[in-house]
Amino acid sequence: MAASRRAAIRHLHSGATGPHLREAWADLRFVVVAMIGNFILLPLVVSGLLMLVPDEPAIRLGVLLVLLMPRTDWCISFTHLGGGDTKLAIAFSPISLLLQITLLPVYLWVFLDENFVVTLAQSQMLTAFVGLILLPLCSAYLTEKSIEKNKDRRYLLDQLAWLPVPLLALVVFLSRQPRLVSS
C-alpha cells in the first residue's frame, strides 16, 4: 500500500502542472460530470447547509472554505478505495484546482456579505494566494521541467516524497507555538 501511495503522490505531483493537463480531458464525460458535481451541485447543497450555520462571518467563511473546495487528496484516496479510476481522478486534479482558485472569490462573494469579502480581499488574501498557491504551483512546474531534462533527478524527487507530512506537522506546531508559550 505504501508503494502505491508513493506512486499516487508522485503521479499527483507530476499531474498538477501544465504539461499534463491534456491527460485530464481524455474522458470528457467524466470531466463534465465532475465539474457539475463539484462546482454546481455541491455549492447548491452548501447554500442549503449554510442556513443552519450562525450568521457570524468568520464561521460562515470557515464552513464555505471547507465545504466548497473539494480536497484533491481525499478525492483520489476515496476513488482508489472505492475501486474507481484513480488515474482519471489524478488527471482531473489540475482542472479541479484551477477551477477552485478561479471560483472561490465568486463563491465567497455570493455566500458572504459583500463588505466582508472586500475586507478579506484587501487584507491578506492576495499575500496568502501568492505564498500558498502561486509559488508552490510555479515551483512544481519548474521542478517537473528540471526532472524532464535530467532523469537522474527523479531519484532525488522520489527520496523527498515523504517530506510533506513532517513539514506540515512542523508548520502546524510552529503556528501554535505563540499560543503554547502564552498559556
Side-chain angles (χ1 to χ4, degrees), residues 6-180:
R6 280 195 303 270
I9 290 171
R10 183 172 52 251
H11 193 86
L12 172 62
H13 285 249
S14 68
T17 55
H20 298 280
L21 282 174
R22 279 177 270 133
E23 295 172 21
W25 294 99
D27 186 346
L28 189 59
R29 188 177 66 162
F30 170 79
V31 171
V32 169
V33 169
M35 288 170 44
I36 290 170
N38 284 326
F39 302 106
I40 296 174
L41 297 178
L42 185 63
L44 291 173
V45 170
V46 170
S47 70
L49 292 173
L50 211 54
M51 290 185 237
L52 304 173
V53 176
D55 197 20
E56 174 65 35
I59 294 173
R60 293 171 87 74
L61 174 64
V63 168
L64 289 171
L65 290 176
V66 168
L67 296 179
L68 286 176
M69 301 294 108
R71 293 281 312 262
T72 304
D73 56 342
W74 288 12
C75 173
I76 294 167
S77 298
F78 288 127
T79 300
H80 176 71
L81 290 173
D85 190 345
T86 306
K87 188 173 182 177
L88 194 55
I90 290 170
F92 177 69
S93 64
I95 295 170
S96 178
L97 291 170
L98 290 172
L99 283 171
Q100 288 176 28
I101 291 168
T102 305
L103 292 175
L104 180 60
V106 175
Y107 290 147
L108 294 179
W109 180 75
V110 169
F111 289 118
L112 294 175
D113 177 61
E114 187 175 316
N115 294 329
F116 182 73
V117 174
V118 169
T119 303
L120 188 66
Q122 289 176 345
S123 62
Q124 299 161 351
M125 188 72 121
L126 187 58
T127 304
F129 172 75
V130 169
L132 297 174
I133 307 277
L134 200 55
L135 287 176
L137 188 62
C138 291
S139 297
Y141 178 78
L142 293 174
T143 301
E144 183 175 331
K145 285 299 187 184
S146 171
I147 288 170
E148 286 176 359
K149 289 179 184 174
N150 184 347
K151 298 296 182 187
D152 294 333
R153 294 180 186 158
R154 169 67 60 192
Y155 174 77
L156 177 62
L157 185 64
D158 289 343
Q159 297 305 310
L160 296 175
W162 65 273
L163 274 176
V165 172
L167 288 175
L168 179 60
L170 179 65
V171 167
V172 169
F173 176 75
L174 292 177
S175 69
R176 300 290 180 202
Q177 192 66 22
R179 292 183 188 173
L180 293 173

